[in-house]
Every structure is written in C-alpha cells, then in structure tokens.
Amino acid sequence: AQSVAQPEDQVNVAEGNPLTVKCTYSVSGNPYLFWYVQYPNRGLQFLLKYITGDNLVKGSYGFEAEFNKSQTSFHLKKPSALVSDSALYFCAVRDFLGNNRLAFGKGNQVVVIP
Amino acid sequence: DTGVSQNPRHKITKRGQNVTFRCDPISEHNRLYWYRQTLGQGPEFLTYFQNEAQLEKSRLLSDRFSAERPKGSFSTLEIQRTEQGDSAMYLCASSLEGLNNEQFFGPGTRLTVL
C-alpha cells in the first residue's frame, strides 16, 4: 500500500527566506505525487503534481517541488516565503497500478514569521 | 462558484443518531471521492465513485457508513448510529477520469458527536 511521510510537525521560516517542506513516499511502481495546502476552515487546495517528465515541477503561488526517485522524496519549496504562506501543507501519493485513492501524509504546519 | 460544495458545513449530533452529508462535485467531473480527516492527521480515503458506480471502499468504511451517487452527480454519505469516534471532518473531492488528474476538494463537513 502506498504511504507518505512528512517528518516535521511544524516548519518555521522568516518572511523572505526559502521555505522547504519535506515529503518521502512509499509506493509500488511509479508514483503520482501531489501537494495540497489547507487554510483554516477551508478545504484542501491543489498546489502541484508530478506525473512524469522533468523532476522539477512548478505550481501555484510560486511553489515548486523536486522529485527524487533514488531518495523517494518530493520536497516542496518556495524561494521566498510570504506571511500568507502560513498554512497546513499535505503531500499525497497515488500508485501507478490503478489505485484511485490518494494517501496523504499527516501534514506540516508552516509558520512564516514577519 | 463552480467548485466542490458540501452541506452542511457543520453538524452536531448525539450518539446513536443518523446523519447524512451531501456533496456536489464540479459538474464535468465523473469521479467523486470521500475522505475523513481527524485533528492532526491527513485525510484518509473512505470511498470513490465513477459516475454512479461505487468502485472502491476503504476498510475504514464500516457497515454503519453508506454512500450513494444515484444519478452520477451529487453524492450523499450517511452514518447510522453515530459514535463519538465518528467525530471528524468529512471531505469530498472530485476529478476527471485518469490517474494523473488532481482531485479538487470541497470545504468539508465537520461532524461532532456528543
């Protein structure tokens, strides 16, 4: 069964500094990888996905993520964090074998300090 | 607003009562998913429909839970004889067919069982 690990509970970063949120995955075959963001009292918003091709994926709001097959990682990055980026971030994986469910990590709370 | 909508947004019930939630997906999406999210955790898959057919169910979906999508449009999730452990956020998502298509989430229904 597919699974995702997000090792840090909270990530604190100063405004304007680079932001990294870590994600590692376990899946049978090639993965489909996704990042979502959740603001208080709102549903999950899609940020970006990796399906195939270029290992560096660009998404919404200046976020990008790098797929690393050898390390089974898909870390989310933003070169310069904004206070408005403070939210809960979830990594998710779906396996290649046709399983339609997304397996989510437990999430990382990002706090951007002004 | 053409996103995924869910009703009600909040539901408080007493243990042993039945509750029903509704999800209206994005109109052109033929796939619809239900997830459950508890505090401090990522969403957990419950079930999935393609059009009106329920194609996959998680082991989390006990026999007290039933989901329908009778006309391939909106879906309902019913919980019978609610227990305190059912307290959670119930999220609905929809997508186009295809493993590489991202799921779009609604705002969720927060259930509190007293």
Side-chain angles (χ1 to χ4, degrees), chain B residues 2 13 23 29 39 51-52 55 61 71 80 84 89 94 104 113-114:
Chain B
T2 57
T13 191
C23 170
H29 288 180
L39 198 61
N51 300 314
E52 66 275 8
L55 297 186
L61 210 66
K71 298 182 180 179
Q80 296 182 326
Q84 287 185 326
M89 177 75 85
S94 69
F104 292 87
V113 181
L114 301 176

Side-chain angles (χ1 to χ4, degrees), chain A residues 65-103:
Chain A
E66 186 166 11
F67 171 65
N68 187 317
K69 188 172 184 178
S70 63
Q71 297 185 1
T72 62
S73 68
F74 189 55
H75 301 331
L76 181 69
K77 301 179 181 181
K78 187 170 184 179
S80 178
L82 302 172
V83 172
S84 57
D85 293 329
S86 298
L88 196 53
Y89 291 80
F90 291 97
C91 181
V93 67
R94 168 192 269 167
D95 71 31
F96 180 69
L97 298 177
N99 188 324
N100 287 284
R101 63 181 67 188
L102 283 176

